[in-house]
Amino acid sequence: MMIRDEISTDYPAIATLVAAAFLGHPHSRQGEARLVGALRDAGALTLSLVAEEDGKVVGHIAFSPVAIGGVEQGWYGLGPVAVQPGLQGRGIGRALIETGLARLAALGAAGCVLVGDPEFYRRFGFRADPRLTYAGVPPEYFMALPLAAPDGTTAEMPAGAVTFHPAFDDA
């Protein structure tokens, strides 16, 4: 498996993959594929990585800037992350997340937030933190991870309400 930046010829495969990965998911409104496209169209995809096996896109992850307290502070939102049904549970998602977080840190990002399953995301160091809030989501499902800068220092946890790109409102 190879993880790489998306290229324009990947767009249709990414849309199909993301839609398939979230089909029937109990917490999905089936808008994740539209979300990725809307973020891309708005120039709001800081990182968009694919996992490729045998020349086929089998996984995708997106990271976009978030605002905290109405101000961009070098924090990013993870999501969505998707793996081809039938290939889930093989470490593709884990590899995408680990690679994406390392790439964000190398870019100098202060941290990353997400809405997701605490059981899954704790293994990457994500934790709920009462200093950061996201309206409409139970606090245990909104998690944050400060990232280490290239010099090894870790950003302090900011405080405030987190706002994702407006495309998330339509997803």
Side-chain angles (χ1 to χ4, degrees):
M1 176 182 61
M2 172 178 61
I3 296 178
R4 60 172 174 77
D5 291 307
E6 72 170 18
I7 55 175
S8 61
T9 56
D10 295 327
Y11 297 171
I14 291 169
T16 300
L17 164 81
V18 173
F22 285 94
L23 186 65
H25 190 281
H27 299 292
S28 171
R29 296 183 295 179
Q30 309 306 301
E32 292 82 5
R34 276 192 321 276
L35 170 61
V36 172
L39 290 169
R40 185 183 296 118
D41 291 346
L45 279 178
T46 303
L47 280 179
S48 185
L49 304 175
V50 296
E52 182 182 297
E53 278 187 355
D54 300 324
K56 294 183 181 178
V57 173
V58 296
H60 177 261
I61 193 167
F63 294 89
S64 56
V66 299
I68 301 172
V71 178
E72 287 194 17
Q73 301 183 34
W75 281 70
Y76 294 84
L78 183 163
V81 59
V83 174
Q84 184 68 45
L87 299 179
Q88 296 171 359
R90 292 185 34 212
I92 297 169
R94 171 184 280 276
L96 283 164
I97 293 166
E98 289 173 347
T99 300
L101 291 172
R103 293 270 307 272
L104 276 181
L107 291 172
C112 187
V113 295
L114 60 82
V115 175
D117 178 11
E119 187 77 22
F120 180 76
Y121 287 103
R122 279 190 198 113
R123 69 185 80 180
F124 303 100
F126 284 92
R127 301 283 181 265
D129 190 298
R131 293 173 283 189
L132 291 175
T133 60
Y134 183 59
V137 174
E140 64 271 20
Y141 290 93
F142 183 66
M143 294 169 282
L145 175 66
L147 295 173
D151 66 3
T153 60
T154 302
E156 288 193 33
M157 186 71 72
V162 174
T163 307
F164 287 80
H165 187 276
F168 279 82
D169 297 334
D170 299 327

